[in-house]
Structures are given as structure tokens and as C-alpha cells.
Amino acid sequence: AQKVTQAQTEISVVEKEDVTLDCVYETRDTTYYLFWYKQPPSGELVFLIRRNSFDEQNEISGRYSWNFQKSTSSFNFTITASQVVDSAVYFCALSEQHTGGFKTIFGAGTRLFVKA
Amino acid sequence: DSGVTQTPKHLITATGQRVTLRCSPRSGDLSVYWYQQSLDQGLQFLIQYYNGEERAKGNILERFSAQQFPDLHSELNLSSLELGDSALYFCASSVPVATALNTGELFFGEGSRLTVL
């Protein structure tokens, strides 16, 4: 069964600090996809990054970077030099392909406060 | 703009009533998903349709139903509403099969905020 755990409920940082959001997942599939989504105070959900199960290469995209480790079933997300506009709820998600689409479940979310 | 359109954006109704939420997926996406987000809660998967057929069911109450029409838009029907049904209801769409460029990320509409009084 799928499961996504975001142990951090809330994180508060001061602007320009780096912050890492943790995500641990469970799945029986060998092929799966991991995502991070952002939900700012306005409420919409915005796709940020994705990683395929067969590609453990970690990447950096601007101020965002992620650390995918299959051995520990973790997919952590780091924001470098945080800004006030990064304040939002961040959701980690796990997706598995099935006929006609994807079964995607979300973690409970981590609320990030970035103070000026 | 994700390309997914949801209406209405806000809806206030009374207990016992029935409402319909509408969703138009991104152009070309055949898969539509419905999620419920209650206050300070995560996203709960309700149901998924692919090209008009139901493909997956999550924690959807029997009072709720959905369908996807031939033009691919989808409707979520909520009946006998209770106070606890107050939530943000999201629709999302995706490609049906993972490709090198798109591995199933969901594109969400802005949500329909339902308030049951």
C-alpha cells in the first residue's frame, strides 16, 4: 500500500536561511514517481519537482534541490536562501501508474513560515 | 495558470442540500481526479476518471458521486450535505501514461470552496 509521511508539521525560519522538508514514503511498486507541490496562502496547488524511482540523481533547480534516497525511501526537499514568498504548505506526493492514469497520494503537508 | 478550470470557486449552502462541482481538464488530458481538502487537512483522494470511465476510488462517501462526460469535463455531486463536508474540493488532470517528459504530475484547478451552514 502507498503511504507518504511528512513528519514536520510546521517549520519556521528567518529569511535567507536554508530549510529542508522531509518526506518518507512506502510503496510496493518498483516504478513510481515522487513529487513536491506547494500550496501558498491563496490556496492553489502548484507542482514543483518530480523524480522517477529509477533515477536517483539529485538535482538543483534554482533555489530548490532534492535528495532522493531509495535505500531509506526518502525524498527530501531543500529551499536555499529562503524568502518570505516561500511561505506555504508543501506537500510530498507518491504516484504509481495504473490503467488510465496515476494513483497519487499526498503527505499531510509541512507548513513553512519564512519570517523577514 | 494550470489549464484546469473549476466552477464555482465558492459555494455556500445548507445542510441537507445537494451541490454540483464542475471541472474542465487541461486540453488533451484524459484523466481527471477529485481531491478533498478539509480545514488544516491534507489532500484526500476521492475518485479518478479516465476517458469517461471510473478508474480508481478513494475515500469517497456514498453521498458523493462523480462522472466524466464525453467532452471530458467532470462533475462531482455532493448530496445530503453535512457540516463536515465543508472543504476545498480540487480537481486535477494528468496525462494517462507516463512519458519521458511527463511522469504523471497532477495539474490542479484553483479549487471549489464549499461551506455548509
Side-chain angles (χ1 to χ4, degrees), chain A residues 38-54:
Chain A
K38 174 183 179 180
Q39 186 176 37
S42 51
E44 75 272 22
L45 282 155
V46 180
F47 159 71
L48 294 177
I49 59 174
R50 67 165 175 257
R51 178 54 56 191
N52 308 328
S53 58
F54 43 87

Side-chain angles (χ1 to χ4, degrees), chain B residues 44-112:
Chain B
Q44 299 297 317
F45 170 65
L46 296 179
I47 198 163
Q48 182 227 335
Y49 281 82
Y50 169 72
N51 204 19
E53 293 185 7
E54 181 185 307
R55 286 306 173 109
K57 222 168 184 176
N59 301 321
I60 187 167
L61 300 172
E62 285 191 11
R63 300 183 286 108
F64 296 179
S65 64
Q67 54 183 326
Q68 186 180 28
F69 296 86
D71 66 353
L72 301 179
H73 92 271
S74 177
E75 291 181 357
L76 178 67
N77 300 297
L78 314 175
S79 61
S80 301
L81 285 168
E82 302 174 358
L83 296 177
D85 297 327
S86 295
L88 194 51
Y89 291 86
F90 284 104
C91 169
S93 71
S94 79
V95 295
V97 179
T99 66
L101 296 177
N102 188 320
T103 53
E105 48 266 43
L106 300 180
F107 293 90
F108 286 86
E110 293 183 349
S112 293

Side-chain angles (χ1 to χ4, degrees), chain A residues 16-35:
Chain A
K16 298 183 183 175
E17 284 185 8
D18 297 348
V19 57
T20 295
L21 309 181
D22 298 333
C23 174
V24 175
Y25 63 92
E26 293 178 27
T27 178
R28 291 190 192 135
D29 280 16
T30 54
T31 300
Y32 51 90
Y33 311 95
L34 296 162
F35 306 91

